[in-house]
Amino acid sequence: MSANRIRFFALLAISLVFLLAWAFPVVWSMLNSLKTDRDALAYPPKLIFSPTLEAYRDVLFGSGSILPNLISSMVISVGTTIVTMLMAVPAAYALARLRFRGKKFAGFYVLATQMLPPVGIIIPYFLVLRNIGWIDTYQGIILIYLSFSLPFAIWLLVSYFEDIPFEMEEAAYLDGASRLRTLWRIIIPQVRGGIAVTIVFVFLNAWNEFLFAVVLSGNTVRPVTVAMFNFVSVEQTLWAKLAAVSVLAMLPVVVLGVVAQKHIVKGLTVGAVKGGGRR
């Protein structure tokens, strides 16, 4: 066997190992979500079993339905994404294209906020929200999520704005376009891929967040990441129902990824085909 074929099969084997390691938790959750609680607890694990949707029926329409929690997660994630993007796009544009005093400090300040460990700031956040009566409210959780999603979105978008040639913007000014019109008509269409990528990541961060949610939420607003613990107790863990909730929680993320796939690929590769526009 030639050296090239040996290298090919070695790379193929390594790729399969990584693929199996990545897919195992997802496959495990999907298989257990189709089992009864007894089959899910069986040891050794049952690979051949009679599939049932009993776990899905219980978690969606049973006494402990997670539908309100899924709605809470969706409202929080969509709200956080919308508010974040409305603020991040103009802020990133300003950092990337404008010249003003304190620009470097502003950029460093935005970056520095990402260095704060969440566990170190959660108590001040809790006290502030409690004093203004925003504990266990959508606006309170979205406000806190905004504190870490906005700096992340700004820094992600800055690189896309910097890759746009200044000549394109200057040509619009020569044609009489205002800065706002240039931003809306010329610049934003050029960074649609980057905006799509940022939207996906901001949504994912908000959807998957747990630490702030478990502290700042309550009986009124409880995201699905917190509600999953309803199926875990000292006496037992309802693995089939827990797996069903996990699969349901993954669905919106998968749908978003599939819908935005074209823009995500374009956004991730845009930096490789543009350049030379920085000043």
Side-chain angles (χ1 to χ4, degrees), residues 22-33:
W22 172 83
F24 174 76
V26 179
V27 174
W28 183 91
S29 296
M30 294 181 68
L31 289 178
N32 278 281
S33 69

Side-chain angles (χ1 to χ4, degrees), residues 224-256:
V224 69
T225 50
V226 180
M228 290 175 68
F229 281 84
N230 293 341
F231 304 97
V232 180
S233 65
V234 177
E235 292 81 12
Q236 63 176 344
T237 299
L238 304 175
W239 289 109
K241 295 181 178 61
L242 192 60
V245 177
S246 301
V247 173
L248 291 172
M250 284 190 285
L251 285 179
V253 177
V254 173
V255 172
L256 178 62

Side-chain angles (χ1 to χ4, degrees), residues 204-219:
L204 289 179
N205 288 338
W207 184 268
N208 294 325
E209 205 285 325
F210 173 76
L211 179 61
F212 288 108
V214 75
V215 175
L216 304 177
S217 65
N219 294 326

Side-chain angles (χ1 to χ4, degrees), residues 65-100:
S65 173
I66 63 159
L67 278 176
N69 309 111
L70 287 171
I71 294 173
S72 293
S73 286
M74 187 60 69
V75 172
I76 293 170
S77 301
V78 172
T80 301
T81 304
I82 292 174
V83 177
T84 297
M85 297 309 296
L86 288 176
M87 299 175 69
V89 170
Y93 173 77
L95 285 174
R97 315 293 286 189
L98 304 185
R99 295 176 179 176
F100 56 90

Side-chain angles (χ1 to χ4, degrees), residues 131-211:
N131 289 338
I132 62 177
W134 280 12
I135 290 290
D136 195 19
T137 62
Y138 286 118
Q139 65 270 26
I141 297 178
I142 290 175
L143 177 65
I144 300 306
Y145 282 12
L146 192 64
S147 66
F148 59 82
S149 64
L150 182 58
F152 171 78
I154 290 174
W155 271 103
L156 200 59
L157 287 170
V158 162
S159 59
Y160 291 99
F161 281 113
E162 287 180 337
D163 285 335
I164 299 174
F166 273 89
E167 291 77 10
M168 186 180 296
E169 195 171 356
E170 291 169 348
Y173 294 148
L174 290 175
D175 290 338
S178 64
R179 184 174 293 278
L180 186 60
R181 184 179 177 83
T182 302
L183 172 63
W184 182 253
R185 295 286 188 182
I186 305 298
I187 303 300
I188 288 183
Q190 298 298 317
V191 296
R192 280 182 300 184
I195 291 175
V197 171
T198 307
I199 287 174
V200 171
F201 280 114
V202 170
F203 182 88
L204 289 179
N205 288 338
W207 184 268
N208 294 325
E209 205 285 325
F210 173 76
L211 179 61

